[in-house]
Amino acid sequence: MAPFVEMRGLSLRRGDTQILLPIDLQDPESWEKALPAARAQAGATGTIHLLGIVLDIGSSMVATYLPKGFEKQALEAMKDALDNFAEQQMPGEKVVTHVGHGHVAETILRSADRIGADLIVMASHQPDELRSILISSHANAVVRHAPISVLVVR
């Protein structure tokens, strides 16, 4: 029987554990502490699924000012950047890169479902009045709506 990992009530059977790790490549705080936590949960045989998200422009009016094919180029650039990140930061590890498009929390939850994730590991900034409203709202929404465990790392 495979060993278990326990963290404050969180128990995952090690083996083919699927860990979703959403990151923002422009913000090292989104992965500097979360990546080691994801590695610990994945163990030697689990897979880490890196997720980069291209935000939805949201307004067709704004989209008219962007070059033709902008979103497609942004998605391709994100995939290339994630692949490069995986090669540089995670050589020899079981990692799969994914690119999502849309609202951050919704994209994380959709991606977790699509890959059959056992756990979502994500970073959250230290709370303060402004950040608790703006930045931590993504982690908060994921924690509230995820049907699987979420490990929030600070």
Side-chain angles (χ1 to χ4, degrees):
M1 180 169 259
F4 283 88
V5 174
E6 294 190 30
M7 295 180 68
R8 293 186 187 171
L10 172 66
S11 295
L12 293 176
R13 183 178 306 278
R14 284 210 177 155
D16 60 350
T17 305
Q18 304 299 308
I19 307 294
L20 179 62
L21 177 61
I23 63 172
D24 177 354
L25 294 172
Q26 304 303 313
D27 182 8
E29 287 185 17
S30 75
W31 56 266
E32 286 177 331
K33 292 180 182 176
L35 179 55
R39 284 180 173 133
Q41 292 299 311
T45 58
T47 301
I48 297 175
H49 295 264
L50 289 177
L51 173 64
I53 300 171
V54 175
L55 298 177
D56 188 12
I57 295 166
S59 168
S60 59
M61 190 167 140
V62 172
T64 61
Y65 291 99
L66 298 172
K68 185 175 182 178
F70 174 80
E71 285 184 326
K72 182 179 178 189
Q73 291 173 358
L75 292 167
E76 290 171 356
M78 175 67 77
K79 178 68 169 152
D80 290 343
L82 281 173
D83 289 342
N84 185 53
F85 177 88
E87 288 175 19
Q88 297 294 317
Q89 299 291 328
M90 307 172 73
E93 296 181 52
K94 289 175 65 176
V95 60
V96 180
T97 59
H98 305 270
V99 176
H101 182 243
H103 180 268
V104 173
E106 291 172 6
T107 303
I108 292 169
L109 295 169
R110 226 180 11 256
S111 297
D113 182 56
R114 190 180 79 250
I115 67 169
D118 298 298
L119 174 69
I120 300 167
V121 176
M122 61 188 299
S124 178
H125 295 279
Q126 292 293 339
D128 63 27
E129 289 183 35
L130 179 61
R131 285 185 172 173
S132 65
I133 295 169
L134 298 177
I135 297 171
S136 295
S137 63
H138 298 306
N140 184 39
V142 171
V143 168
R144 280 187 296 126
H145 298 288
I148 60 173
S149 295
V150 179
L151 175 58
V152 178
V153 181
R154 291 195 180 170

